[in-house]
């Protein structure tokens, strides 16, 4: 089975800190995604990557950046964390064309104080 | 743009009762439709998906969903709910999206989610 691993389950950071959320998948998937999940809003796409060093903005990219230096790893970066970025962050991966069966990680619950 | 609406934020049922979770979508072409489940503290797991063909789709854990084009709906059903079904359920619509390199991949848009509580 494909496994998507998010390095931290819970994270508490201070306002203004630079925060890195790491995601690793082990099945050579081309596509990787970062979502944030908030009650009543469902999942909203922040950024996605379809190849190494390739990325595209999702629906809510403001305040975030990403990095994909290796195929298996996709990092979400909060350049200067703010309290409104307190949320659950979910990473997902999928195969190339026509595959919509995303595999999700367990999530990182980030609290910015 | 595609969108998904789950009208019910929270549903409570008794164990053994039947279940129906509603999902309505907005999309210009034939949609690809999905249901995911998220157990507490877990990531999302794919329950079932509809691409084409038979409009009644069977999934894992005894769930099924029916695509009704005339109603723009893809409701999830289960005839008898178990306590372990308590979770949050997400409907999603997918479409092909072309990246900057011109290659298509699947992009999902999720609904707001429905929290299911099961009473013993």
């Amino acid at each position: 089975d494909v496994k998507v691993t998010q390095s931290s389950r819970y994270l508490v950071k201070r306002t203004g800190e630079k925060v890195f959320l790491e995601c690793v998948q082990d099945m050579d998937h081309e596509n990787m995604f970062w979502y944030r999940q908030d009650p009543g809003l469902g999942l909203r796409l922040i950024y996605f990557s379809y190849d190494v060093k390739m990325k595209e903005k999702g629906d809510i990219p403001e305040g975030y950046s990403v990095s994909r230096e290796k195929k298996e790893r996709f990092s979400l970066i909060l350049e200067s964390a703010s309290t409104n970025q307190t949320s659950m962050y979910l990473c997902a991966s999928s195969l190339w064309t026509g595959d919509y069966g995303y595999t999700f990680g367990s999530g990182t619950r980030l609290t910015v104080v | 743009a595609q969108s998904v609406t789950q009208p019910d934020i929270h549903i409570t049922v008794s164990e053994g009762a039947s279940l129906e979770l509603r999902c309505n979508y907005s999309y210009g072409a034939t949609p690809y439709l999905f249901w995911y489940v998220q157990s507490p503290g877990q990531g999302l797991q794919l329950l079932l998906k509809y691409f084409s063909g038979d409009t009644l789709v069977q999934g894992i854990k005894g769930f099924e969903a029916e695509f009704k084009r005339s109603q723009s709906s893809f409701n999830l059903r289960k005839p008898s709910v178990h306590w372990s079904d308590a979770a949050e359920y997400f409907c999603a619509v997918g479409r092909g999206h072309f990246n900057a390199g011109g290659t298509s991949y699947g992009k999902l848009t999720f609904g707001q989610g429905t929290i299911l509580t099961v009473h013993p």
Side-chain angles (χ1 to χ4, degrees), chain A residues 13-21 46-47 55 61-67 75-82 85 89 110 112:
Chain A
K13 295 293 182 181
R14 296 193 179 277
T15 301
E17 276 193 78
K18 189 169 186 176
V19 180
F20 292 85
L21 302 184
I46 304 172
Y47 265 98
K55 61 186 179 184
E62 296 78 18
Y64 303 94
S65 63
V66 290
S67 173
S75 302
L76 180 69
I77 304 160
L78 287 65
E79 296 290 344
S80 178
S82 63
Q85 292 178 309
Y89 290 87
L110 172 67
V112 182

Side-chain angles (χ1 to χ4, degrees), chain B residues 5-101:
Chain B
T5 301
Q6 295 178 243
D8 304 305
I9 297 173
H10 196 170
I11 283 183
T12 300
V13 300
S14 298
E15 192 169 17
S18 63
L19 171 71
E20 183 169 29
L21 302 183
R22 296 185 291 164
C23 172
N24 294 100
Y25 66 89
S26 172
Y27 183 55
T30 300
Y32 299 153
L33 296 161
F34 307 81
W35 276 99
Y36 282 83
V37 60
Q38 184 181 34
S39 298
Q42 301 296 317
L44 276 70
Q45 180 184 20
L46 181 66
L47 279 177
L48 48 79
K49 58 187 176 184
Y50 171 78
F51 278 17
S52 64
D54 192 346
T55 56
L56 186 62
V57 180
Q58 302 297 321
I60 62 172
K61 305 186 180 187
F63 285 93
E64 66 178 27
E66 186 171 12
F67 169 57
K68 292 185 177 180
R69 184 187 301 275
S70 61
Q71 299 177 18
S72 298
S73 69
F74 188 57
N75 294 349
L76 182 71
R77 301 194 295 246
K78 187 170 184 178
S80 177
V81 171
H82 188 262
W83 64 265
S84 60
D85 293 324
E88 188 163 15
Y89 292 79
F90 293 92
C91 183
V93 59
R95 68 179 180 92
H97 181 84
F98 288 94
N99 61 34

Side-chain angles (χ1 to χ4, degrees), chain A residues 9 31 33 35 37 40-43 45 48 50 56 59 90 96-102 104-106, chain B residues 32 34 36 38 41 43-44 51 88 90 94-97 99-100 103-108 110-112:
Chain A
R9 187 73 182 92
N31 303 320
F33 307 83
Y35 286 86
Q37 181 182 8
L41 296 178
L43 277 71
L45 182 63
F48 59 95
Y50 50 88
E56 284 193 21
D59 300 318
L90 291 169
W96 197 238
T97 304
D99 178 31
Y100 297 80
Y102 291 11
F104 281 86
S106 298
Chain B
Y32 299 153
F34 307 81
Y36 282 83
Q38 184 181 34
L44 276 70
F51 278 17
E88 188 163 15
F90 293 92
R95 68 179 180 92
H97 181 84
N99 61 34
T103 305
S104 173
Y105 63 91
K107 184 180 177 184
L108 292 179
F110 289 85
Q112 303 91 326

Side-chain angles (χ1 to χ4, degrees), chain A residues 23-98:
Chain A
C23 176
V24 177
Q25 51 95 1
D26 65 0
M27 276 296 290
D28 205 35
H29 279 183
E30 301 287 347
N31 303 320
M32 297 188 74
F33 307 83
W34 275 107
Y35 286 86
R36 65 176 281 177
Q37 181 182 8
D38 300 290
L41 296 178
L43 277 71
R44 293 179 291 167
L45 182 63
I46 304 172
Y47 265 98
F48 59 95
S49 168
Y50 50 88
D51 202 351
V52 174
K53 297 188 184 296
M54 306 304 288
K55 61 186 179 184
E56 284 193 21
K57 294 179 180 179
D59 300 318
I60 52 164
E62 296 78 18
Y64 303 94
S65 63
V66 290
S67 173
R68 193 168 181 199
E69 296 296 320
K70 293 184 178 181
K71 191 173 186 178
E72 67 270 18
R73 185 180 297 271
F74 191 36
S75 302
L76 180 69
I77 304 160
L78 287 65
E79 296 290 344
S80 178
S82 63
T83 55
N84 63 12
Q85 292 178 309
T86 292
S87 185
M88 170 70 87
Y89 290 87
L90 291 169
C91 176
S93 71
S94 72
L95 287 172
W96 197 238
T97 304

